Amino acid sequence: MRTYGQDAKTLELPWPFTGRADELELVRGALSAGRPGIVVTGPAGRGKTRLITEAVRGTDHARVTGTPEARDLPLAAFAHLLPDTVSLHRAVRALSGVRLLVVDDAQLLDETSAALVHQLAVQGRTRLIVAAADGTPAPGAVSRLWTGELLPRLALDPLSREDTARLLAGAGLEPLTVRRLHEACRGDLRLLRDLVTALTGSGRLTPVPGTGERAWRGPLPVTPAVRERLAPALERTGPGERDVLERLAFAEPLPLPADELDLDALERLEADALIDVDEQGGVALAHPLHGPALRAAAGRLRARRLARAPFAPGPALVGEQRRLARRMDRLDVRPVPTPVGDWLLAEGGPLPARYAEVRARFARLRGEVREAAAWAREGLREAPGDTGCRRELELADGQPGEGADPDGVLALYEAVRLGEPGRAVGRLPAGSVFARHADALARADGTALDRAAEALAERGFALYAAEAHAQAARAHRDPRAARLSRTRATALARRCQGARTQALAGLVLGELTVRQRQIVELAAAGLSNREIAEKLTLSVRTVGNHLYSAYTRLGTGDRGALPWLVDTPERETA
């Protein structure tokens, strides 16, 4: 393999490549015969370079990278591939023998280099994989690659919270810390890495008793990456706007009334998408990173001047607790804004046990079982003997307890989840998603079970929806419909933080041959194809063929989904 280098970037990260299976297949598909290539776009730090590096691993390719320093030097990015002096026409001819060219940071190419890339795309002999960051004007010849439909465009979305958790799995962080990092970074993986490194090195992570995990509470570390992320927002503001931003930062977690702030400055900040104004006229910072960063960067005297009177969170916490409880009573656990509780947790303040219990129950019903356990521990930290938080911790950890309320809706619905709908039909709230699930299961109607699962997912019950799709997979007579249900069950189960339940256990192993089941179980345990081949005394190709056949039967091509499909749990969770 030949790889032409001159790229100053670090291409290999210490973290695993995570959460981009579909995107990886798209980029790899663009490398196949007859395809012209692809353009990958997204904000800086979104993971474009890492995705492309994974896609071209093991291939014969050349790589060029645009840099700010060489943006005014013609063909500077291609200097390692071309003679010292060459015309654009000769450069196109010289590179026509390169079958695959990776162009990173294409938005920073000089105009001649951009024109060269465009000509190579028009010529069609060289397959192009181009990465361009949003937010920086790209040369017209680069943007015309996708606007002129020469190359398809893949716009990278940020990693989901679940994928961020998998990315940070080796860091030993408790789930509420992972959630806080995910929300602060908004998909900027460079910022995420910088913050984790700073937190680890500064001693700001504290052990969580009995878990082996560490938690981050307190101020944001003002790292170079944090300053870099904050700088564009501040550079666009004048003194009046900066003063408003700082006042809002020290007013968090509650918004300030617009009539207490400079209206002209507010209008300019809203136009720049730096603030949000709600229907009641309350004003808050738009980016979750800006408040902590502005507070941490302020000097002591300025912080003292901007800080408001001591904040008593009690009434606001009670209001959030009641809103969450009402949503659960209505069998609806879609996300609800909880700025006060989230802020108090981040600051390391004491959380009332009743509030922590409700947050734990809400998270558990959403299938976020590790977060549910973490909220329960927060309540027990302040009230070690609290029975409500203790019960929620036991339920999140998979220990029995839901039946302690035999007449409750959730206790009745538990029978449906266990595959015994006869105990609940006619006793659940009429017309509710739980009742529809029970009725469909009682009739063994796969299509109705899928519809019930979709309704459950729409209301935020990801784990229950996964179980309903799994039950549908068993009820369907059409193998294609069964595979689709299994795929949906797998996708939803992956969002549930490792939850294992009876309905999901051993979902598809029965459809595999003995050898396929053996190989899939080893792959689910994390072994590579080569490791599996060595363990079973098979060739790597044979292992790959068995996995391909197994994927076809399982209705998925995602290796990361295998644990959710094949693991047999030791205990039931959630």
Side-chain angles (χ1 to χ4, degrees):
M1 180 191 78
R2 290 178 300 154
T3 301
Y4 303 92
Q6 51 77 235
D7 185 4
K9 283 190 171 185
T10 300
L11 300 180
E12 298 294 335
L13 296 176
W15 290 342
F17 179 77
T18 301
R20 297 288 190 199
D22 293 340
E23 293 90 339
L24 184 62
E25 288 304 310
L26 282 172
V27 177
R28 284 178 173 167
L31 305 180
S32 58
R35 300 289 182 86
I38 195 168
V39 178
V40 182
T41 64
R46 185 60 60 85
K48 301 180 293 297
T49 299
R50 184 71 190 280
L51 171 64
I52 291 174
T53 299
E54 290 293 325
V56 303
R57 189 182 303 281
T59 66
D60 184 7
H61 67 278
R63 183 184 292 269
V64 300
T65 303
T67 62
E69 297 78 11
R71 197 169 188 178
D72 296 326
L73 302 175
L75 295 177
F78 288 87
H80 61 297
L81 299 177
L82 297 172
D84 290 340
T85 57
V86 63
S87 66
L88 177 60
H89 178 69
R90 289 188 61 194
V92 173
R93 293 184 58 188
L95 294 176
S96 61
V98 176
R99 306 312 304 163
L100 175 59
L101 177 64
V102 174
V103 183
D104 205 357
D105 279 337
Q107 78 282 356
L108 299 178
L109 291 176
D110 62 90
E111 293 290 345
T112 309
S113 294
L116 173 56
V117 173
H118 190 273
Q119 286 299 310
L120 290 171
V122 171
Q123 184 189 66
R125 296 178 184 173
T126 300
R127 198 168 291 113
L128 295 166
I129 306 294
V130 180
D134 298 336
T136 302
V142 169
S143 60
R144 285 196 297 275
L145 290 174
W146 63 87
T147 59
E149 299 184 353
L150 285 170
L151 297 177
R153 179 187 183 188
L154 169 62
L156 281 189
D157 292 326
L159 284 181
S160 67
R161 180 146 49 102
E162 295 76 30
D163 286 326
T164 301
R166 279 187 278 275
L167 188 68
L168 296 175
L173 302 177
E174 57 96 34
L176 298 181
T177 293
V178 173
R179 181 172 180 262
R180 184 181 177 189
L181 285 165
H182 172 77
E183 292 175 353
C185 295
R186 283 195 172 179
D188 189 333
L189 301 182
R190 292 187 303 182
L191 176 60
L192 179 67
R193 181 183 179 188
D194 188 65
L195 283 177
V196 171
T197 300
L199 290 170
T200 302
S202 64
R204 298 195 191 195
L205 295 174
T206 58
V208 180
T211 67
E213 297 174 334
R214 297 175 296 169
W216 167 36
R217 304 290 186 264
L220 179 84
V222 185
T223 66
V226 170
R227 294 184 186 277
E228 179 184 345
R229 184 64 182 79
L230 189 62
L234 298 184
E235 287 171 356
R236 300 197 304 267
T237 62
E241 290 90 353
R242 173 66 180 263
D243 184 67
V244 169
L245 291 176
E246 288 185 332
R247 286 194 62 192
L248 292 173
F250 280 88
E252 291 184 336
L254 299 178
L256 282 179
D259 55 13
E260 292 186 12
L261 302 166
D262 184 304
L263 182 58
D264 291 336
L266 286 177
E267 290 177 350
R268 291 190 292 270
L269 290 170
E270 186 179 26
D272 287 336
L274 294 176
I275 62 170
D276 288 329
V277 181
D278 61 30
E279 295 179 355
Q280 289 73 41
V283 184
L285 295 167
H287 197 292
L289 178 70
H290 288 171
L294 286 166
R295 291 194 298 272
R300 290 185 179 180
L301 292 177
R302 189 164 185 79
R304 188 177 301 168
R305 181 176 69 82
L306 291 169
R308 60 180 177 177
F311 173 53
L317 276 179
V318 170
E320 288 184 358
Q321 179 180 325
R322 288 174 176 168
R323 284 194 294 275
L324 291 168
R326 284 196 296 269
R327 292 292 288 272
M328 288 187 285
D329 288 341
R330 296 197 297 265
L331 303 184
D332 185 347
V333 291
R334 284 172 287 193
V336 176
T338 50
V340 179
D342 294 341
W343 175 84
L344 193 61
L345 176 82
E347 294 296 313
L351 281 172
R354 292 284 74 73
Y355 179 86
E357 177 190 350
V358 170
R359 289 297 299 264
R361 185 178 305 119
F362 196 84
R364 177 170 57 83
L365 294 179
R366 286 180 50 79
E368 297 163 348
V369 292
R370 294 188 67 238
E371 287 193 19
W375 280 111
R377 290 190 192 97
E378 285 296 316
L380 292 170
R381 185 162 62 91
E382 296 301 318
D386 185 78
T387 56
C389 286
R390 180 64 60 189
R391 179 172 176 273
E392 284 299 327
L393 181 59
E394 292 172 352
L395 289 170
D397 284 343
Q399 300 177 33
E402 196 75 79
D405 180 11
D407 298 321
V409 171
L410 289 174
L412 289 171
Y413 185 62
E414 186 75 6
V416 182
R417 299 177 61 202
L418 293 174
E420 301 173 3
R423 292 164 47 193
V425 169
R427 300 177 63 192
L428 290 164
S432 69
V433 288
F434 288 1
R436 289 159 59 187
H437 182 185
D439 179 67
L441 185 60
R443 293 185 288 109
D445 186 333
T447 301
L449 279 166
D450 281 328
R451 287 198 297 265
E454 291 165 5
L456 286 163
E458 182 181 350
R459 286 181 165 257
F461 295 102
L463 179 58
Y464 299 166
E467 293 174 331
H469 276 308
Q471 292 166 340
R474 298 185 181 98
H476 280 302
R477 296 183 179 181
D478 182 351
R480 290 173 297 180
R483 291 191 192 103
L484 181 58
S485 296
R486 279 194 296 273
T487 300
R488 291 172 174 171
T490 301
L492 286 162
R494 294 191 74 191
R495 292 164 44 188
C496 296
Q497 301 180 350
R500 300 286 190 269
T501 72
Q502 179 172 312
L504 299 177
L507 180 59
V508 293
L509 282 183
E511 295 196 2
L512 304 180
T513 67
V514 173
R515 179 63 84 183
Q516 287 171 348
R517 187 182 308 126
Q518 192 177 28
I519 290 173
V520 164
E521 287 177 336
L522 291 173
L527 274 67
S528 68
N529 286 14
R530 184 169 298 280
E531 290 170 332
I532 295 171
E534 292 173 355
K535 188 177 184 67
L536 301 180
T537 320
L538 300 171
S539 71
V540 175
R541 175 172 292 183
T542 298
V543 170
N545 289 339
H546 276 302
L547 275 176
Y548 178 81
S549 298
Y551 285 147
T552 301
R553 293 193 180 191
L554 298 178
T556 180
D558 183 359
R559 195 184 191 101
L562 293 180
W564 280 266
L565 287 169
V566 306
D567 275 0
T568 301
E570 296 180 0
R571 61 185 182 181
E572 183 169 334
T573 302

